[in-house]
Amino acid sequence: MADKEATVYIVDTGASMGKSRNGRSITDLEWAMQYVWDRITATVATGRKTAMLGVIGLKTDGTENELQDDQHFSHLSVLSGIKQFLMPDLQQLGKDISPSKTDKGDVISALILAIQMIITHCKKLKWKRKIVLITNGMGRMNSENIDDIVEKIKEDNIELIVLGPDFDDAEYGTKEEDKDPRKAENEALLRTVTEQCDGIFGTLEQAVAEMEIPRVKPVRPVVSFKGFLQLGNPEEYDTAVRIPVERFPRTMVAKPPSASQFVLRSDLAEQEDQESATVVPESQPEEGSTLTSVRNLRAYQVDDENAPGGKAEIERDDLAKGYEYGRTAVHISETDENITKLQTTAAIELVGFIQSERYDRFMHMSNTNIIIAQRSNDKAALALSSFIHALFELESYAVARLVAKENKAPILVLLAPSIEPEYECLLEVQLPFAEDVRTYRFPPLDKVITVSGKVVTQHRNLPDDDLMDAMEKYVDSMELLDTDEDGDVTETPFPIEDSFSPVLHRINAAIRSRAIHPKDPIPQPARILTQFSQPPEQLREKAEKHLKKLIEVADVKKVPPKTKGRKRAREPEKPLSGLDVDALLHQEKRVKISPNNAIPEFKQTLSQAENIDTTKDAVKQMRSIIEDQIRHSLGDANYDRVTEGLGVVREELIAYEEPELYNEFVRELKGKLLGEKLGGDRRELWWLIRRSKLGLIEQRESEFSSVGEEEAKKFLSAQ
């Protein structure tokens, strides 16, 4: 269980904080709030009810606190008591914090008020207590009873952090020139108080700069197995070995927050929610929100020729359970499943050993776990240590059968020894069964085997000696590790401790930014997240000459990119050779489209069209072909061909910027289908057209269309 935390932020909102200093484009308060928002939103993102926050405004225009009767506590306002912060609290705090019109207000009194808030809320219980003070050090400070304040902070184990714009910090390398004497005096007082409390005193510049460094979340390990590591059957043999052990995760995948689906509330949406009472919502929005959760309805269908559309809906209870075996779904009844279910006992049973050099690392199938001896069991620790050292000295791994819980399916695992100065353990990873292994054959890279079995080593698809030499030099020039004369690694430009997951931390940063500034664009990702996406500049410069040589030897040619976008004003693509294939084959431009090869010939006709009349004629021919396919279809035999042809016509006319030709075509087709003018009742085909989304081309699909979204939706109805 996570520790309880109570943090109080004291934010200086005085008039002096509303000014920009030392060439900065933002005010001191805006600069300070970058750090405050980052820390508050990081706490809110955890969603923990035991992580509570409070905010005190220093040098506010008014006074609002429980000690306001004392004149020393004037111009101090409790903007938020200690509680769990949610989105409404963030929005309200953003409205409350703004520069005031006064610089009156005592920082030391604000510290006393924060201590009082923490004592009242936490009492004598076990809490992590913290006070974060951000001020520019302007104004008067009452230095009386400083020793009592320091003693109280240390007595209650409160961590004190003091940050300020342009505070001097010799370690970080900042020093403000021509500092105001009063600010220098106040800064010295705050530094003394912080050091006596064993707290942290620093400049705001360092705090804001370190915001880009992702904070790694400390995770408390949870035991996933408690049992015995055994060799032999202890129920039958007295010589069997049993060591009490515990299993913990070594590595786990950190995933970014998942999205929740919401839509705007409406009378229609609420009515549909009431009708779909059996559907469970994914999540609920906050009370009073204008959003409502998206509800999912799951239906199960099977093929049925007698049902409308060839599909019949069935209930979930009528489904049979099946298991995937390769690409085949295997059905097992509940009775057979109970018979075949393996009765297992939780344990790690050793089944064999393998030399470490004979094991391939790609056999890993899971995250890594560690196995240690049962805690507070010296005998077990000694026994496991002996086993670990034996594996290490023999350069071997152990293969074991793991059953994590009673009657759970067994898995094969590999146990590797790990000996560190501070601890010893077994590293455990899952191994594949025979059915999990897939073998693939690839042609050799250094030779070509002809159909007759002849081996060819000189071939146009094989690299020659010059190409191999150029590639080798290029690869060597891209070496990331710096080595000395003896070949020993001196340093690496990519230290693992500076490598962070771009997806995880980028999404978290975007969420925090949007929570505070809902209308501002998402800021660019921090440089530390993208620094390893490109090789170092000096490395690229070093390898540039080798790359040019490689391109020259390999005779690399640039392939013309595939043209995208509008086809109407596009010239026909020409082959790399520059030859006019149509002229060589004496091929005339197509006039009539054959029903047996309609789609390719339709595309070819459009690509050769010189005017709109040719395009209209091609669409007219496709309309006739599709209508004939419908009219002569025996049941739904030609329905797939019809929907494919419609889809091609739709895509091509969007690309050629002629959406109205398709819209006119599909309007007439709908009228004939619903009017039973194409061989009888063809409503099932109209249902397929609706499902395939082959309706009118909307304005959002083509700017040349005059059809709006509502008209397109109405057109897809069966009326």
Side-chain angles (χ1 to χ4, degrees):
M1 182 178 177
D3 295 328
K4 297 180 179 179
E5 300 178 7
T7 304
V8 176
Y9 291 89
I10 304 175
V11 182
D12 190 341
T13 62
S16 58
M17 289 287 287
K19 299 179 181 179
S20 302
R21 305 176 189 276
N22 296 325
R24 290 186 291 270
S25 60
I26 58 176
T27 65
D28 289 352
L29 182 58
E30 292 172 339
W31 197 29
M33 288 306 298
Q34 291 182 7
Y35 173 80
V36 175
W37 286 132
D38 179 75
R39 300 314 308 135
I40 291 180
T41 52
T43 303
V44 174
T46 63
R48 290 169 44 204
K49 294 183 178 180
T50 55
M52 300 190 177
L53 306 173
V55 182
I56 297 176
L58 170 64
K59 301 178 184 176
T60 57
D61 291 325
T63 302
E64 187 176 349
N65 61 77
E66 59 183 6
L67 304 176
Q68 60 187 9
D69 295 337
D70 190 336
Q71 62 177 359
H72 293 93
F73 294 91
S74 59
H75 297 286
L76 299 178
S77 299
V78 178
L79 304 180
S80 175
I82 299 178
K83 62 179 180 180
Q84 181 192 8
F85 258 58
L86 301 175
M87 274 298 299
D89 302 308
L90 289 176
Q91 296 169 356
Q92 184 60 42
L93 186 61
K95 298 176 183 178
D96 293 340
I97 292 186
S98 59
S100 65
K101 299 178 181 179
T102 180
D103 273 328
K104 295 181 179 179
D106 183 23
V107 173
I108 305 301
S109 299
L111 274 177
I112 297 174
L113 182 59
I115 296 171
Q116 178 66 24
M117 289 174 60
I118 290 178
I119 294 175
T120 303
H121 183 82
C122 302
K123 300 181 175 61
K124 295 294 183 179
L125 302 177
K126 185 178 179 181
W127 285 71
K128 284 187 176 180
R129 310 158 193 236
K130 183 188 296 185
I131 297 176
V132 179
L133 169 62
I134 300 181
T135 178
N136 59 3
M138 298 293 190
R140 296 181 178 274
M141 289 189 188
N142 186 3
S143 59
E144 297 179 2
N145 302 322
I146 287 293
D147 294 338
D148 296 337
I149 296 173
V150 171
E151 183 179 352
K152 187 61 177 176
I153 292 176
K154 296 173 67 174
E155 178 185 343
D156 291 339
N157 293 323
I158 299 176
E159 181 183 2
L160 177 61
I161 299 176
V162 178
L163 301 172
D166 304 316
F167 278 10
D168 295 342
D169 191 334
E171 294 183 2
Y172 188 69
T174 58
K175 181 176 178 60
E176 184 181 16
E177 302 296 336
D178 301 327
K179 188 186 294 288
D180 182 88
R182 173 168 290 178
K183 179 179 180 179
E185 180 182 348
N186 293 337
E187 191 176 320
L189 176 61
L190 291 175
R191 183 188 296 273
T192 301
V193 172
T194 307
E195 291 176 351
Q196 290 178 353
C197 297
D198 299 326
I200 299 175
F201 181 90
T203 180
L204 186 62
E205 181 181 352
Q206 180 180 3
V208 173
E210 292 180 352
M211 282 168 43
E212 292 190 351
I213 302 176
R215 295 172 176 85
V216 180
K217 178 183 177 182
V219 179
R220 182 173 297 176
V222 178
V223 62
S224 57
F225 171 80
K226 285 185 179 181
F228 292 96
L229 172 65
Q230 58 191 42
L231 178 61
N233 189 347
E235 297 180 359
E236 297 183 9
Y237 305 102
D238 296 336
T239 56
V241 178
R242 300 183 76 191
I243 304 175
V245 295
E246 296 179 1
R247 176 175 177 253
F248 294 88
R250 173 73 172 258
T251 57
M252 294 291 288
V253 176
K255 298 181 180 180
S258 58
S260 299
Q261 296 178 333
F262 297 105
V263 294
L264 289 174
R265 290 185 182 276
S266 65
D267 296 336
L268 179 60
E270 293 177 1
Q271 182 179 356
E272 290 177 353
D273 290 345
Q274 295 172 0
E275 293 175 355
S276 305
T278 59
V279 184
V280 180
E282 291 185 352
S283 57
Q284 292 292 343
E286 296 176 5
E287 185 177 355
S289 173
T290 59
L291 301 177
T292 182
S293 58
V294 174
R295 298 173 181 268
N296 295 328
L297 178 64
R298 184 176 287 107
Y300 300 92
Q301 295 179 334
V302 295
D303 294 333
D304 188 352
E305 296 180 355
N306 300 324
K311 300 286 185 180
E313 291 192 6
I314 60 175
E315 298 294 333
R316 178 181 173 85
D317 296 338
D318 297 333
L319 297 177
K321 184 181 292 186
Y323 293 90
E324 188 177 7
Y325 186 81
R327 293 182 179 270
T328 306
V330 181
H331 163 62
I332 300 179
S333 65
E334 188 174 350
T335 304
D336 294 337
E337 187 177 6
N338 292 333
I339 295 174
T340 58
K341 193 171 184 180
L342 194 62
Q343 302 294 325
T344 57
T345 304
I348 304 177
E349 302 176 4
L350 298 175
V351 297
F353 300 91
I354 183 175
Q355 288 293 319
S356 57
E357 61 184 14
R358 297 178 56 190
Y359 176 74
D360 297 321
R361 293 291 296 270
F362 62 79
M363 302 291 281
H364 287 10
M365 285 189 63
S366 68
N367 296 324
T368 308
N369 299 290
I370 64 170
I371 295 176
I372 62 173
Q374 186 182 57
R375 285 171 291 183
S376 304
N377 188 334
D378 296 338
K379 186 177 180 181
L382 181 60
L384 185 64
S385 177
S386 301
F387 180 66
I388 293 172
H389 280 268
L391 290 176
F392 180 79
E393 293 173 5
L394 296 176
E395 298 181 352
S396 300
Y397 296 152
V399 180
R401 176 180 182 269
L402 169 63
V403 179
K405 293 183 180 180
E406 201 82 11
N407 294 327
K408 192 175 181 181
I411 60 174
L412 281 180
V413 297
L414 185 80
L415 304 178
S418 176
I419 301 176
E420 302 291 340
E422 298 180 357
Y423 69 94
E424 301 170 351
C425 68
L426 288 172
L427 301 179
E428 175 252 294
V429 68
Q430 183 178 349
L431 295 176
F433 289 102
E435 291 82 0
D436 299 321
V437 178
R438 300 287 184 269
T439 56
Y440 302 95
R441 290 187 177 182
F442 297 95
L445 300 176
D446 58 345
K447 57 188 174 182
V448 174
I449 302 176
T450 63
V451 178
S452 61
K454 182 180 179 181
V455 178
V456 179
T457 56
Q458 299 292 331
H459 192 269
R460 60 185 177 84
N461 292 335
L462 296 178
D464 54 18
D465 293 338
D466 292 338
L467 181 58
M468 292 292 291
D469 182 63
M471 177 60 75
E472 183 178 1
K473 291 181 178 179
Y474 174 63
V475 172
D476 291 342
S477 67
M478 293 292 288
E479 177 62 56
L480 296 176
L481 299 178
D482 296 333
T483 57
D484 55 18
E485 297 178 354
D486 299 330
D488 297 330
V489 177
T490 56
E491 71 174 299
T492 171
F494 294 138
I496 190 65
E497 59 271 12
D498 291 343
S499 176
F500 301 94
S501 170
V503 175
L504 174 66
H505 296 292
R506 172 62 175 155
I507 291 180
N508 286 334
I511 292 174
R512 294 198 299 267
S513 174
R514 184 48 54 89
I516 303 303
H517 308 290
K519 297 183 180 180
D520 293 349
I522 301 297
Q524 293 296 318
R527 182 183 174 277
I528 195 170
L529 296 180
T530 59
Q531 61 177 343
F532 295 158
S533 61
Q534 298 290 337
E537 186 64 29
Q538 65 272 18
L539 203 62
R540 288 197 290 183
E541 294 176 356
K542 177 182 176 182
E544 186 176 2
K545 62 179 182 179
H546 299 287
L547 178 60
K548 291 181 178 179
K549 179 65 176 177
L550 178 62
I551 293 174
E552 179 183 348
V553 173
D555 193 21
V556 177
K557 295 180 179 179
K558 186 175 182 180
V559 177
K562 186 175 181 180
T563 310
K564 298 181 180 180
R566 301 175 177 176
K567 290 186 176 181
R568 185 167 65 177
R570 182 195 307 172
E571 295 182 1
E573 296 181 4
K574 296 181 179 180
L576 295 177
S577 61
L579 298 176
D580 188 346
V581 179
D582 291 339
L584 292 175
L585 298 177
H586 304 286
Q587 186 176 11
E588 298 180 357
K589 295 190 180 206
R590 189 170 302 281
V591 177
K592 186 171 179 60
I593 298 175
S594 171
N596 297 326
N597 194 30
I599 291 177
E601 293 184 6
F602 174 72
K603 290 183 176 180
Q604 187 178 12
T605 302
L606 291 187
S607 65
Q608 297 174 348
E610 297 179 352
N611 51 54
I612 188 62
D613 293 334
T614 306
T615 303
K616 289 181 179 180
D617 182 65
V619 175
K620 184 178 179 180
Q621 293 186 59
M622 283 298 293
R623 177 192 307 170
S624 177
I625 292 172
I626 290 174
E627 289 180 356
D628 285 342
Q629 290 174 345
I630 300 172
R631 187 178 293 108
H632 298 100
S633 175
L634 183 60
D636 61 353
N638 291 340
Y639 287 0
D640 289 340
R641 295 177 62 189
V642 170
T643 54
E644 182 184 7
L646 274 176
V648 170
V649 173
R650 193 176 194 274
E651 292 176 1
E652 291 297 309
L653 292 180
I654 290 176
Y656 282 97
E657 301 173 352
E658 296 293 345
E660 294 303 327
L661 293 179
Y662 177 81
N663 291 342
E664 180 185 354
F665 170 23
V666 78
R667 283 191 180 101
E668 293 184 8
L669 180 64
K670 176 184 177 182
K672 293 180 179 180
L673 285 176
L674 300 184
E676 301 183 3
K677 297 179 181 179
L678 295 176
D681 186 2
R682 299 293 184 181
R683 290 181 177 271
E684 183 181 345
L685 175 58
W686 179 245
W687 180 83
L688 289 174
I689 293 174
R690 293 175 57 197
R691 189 182 68 173
S692 303
K693 299 180 180 179
L694 298 176
L696 299 174
I697 300 175
E698 306 175 28
Q699 291 177 344
R700 61 184 178 86
E701 296 177 283
S702 173
E703 59 181 325
F704 296 91
S705 174
S706 59
V707 178
E709 183 178 357
E710 293 299 325
E711 182 181 354
K713 288 182 179 179
K714 185 178 179 181
F715 175 79
L716 286 177
S717 66
Q719 298 177 355

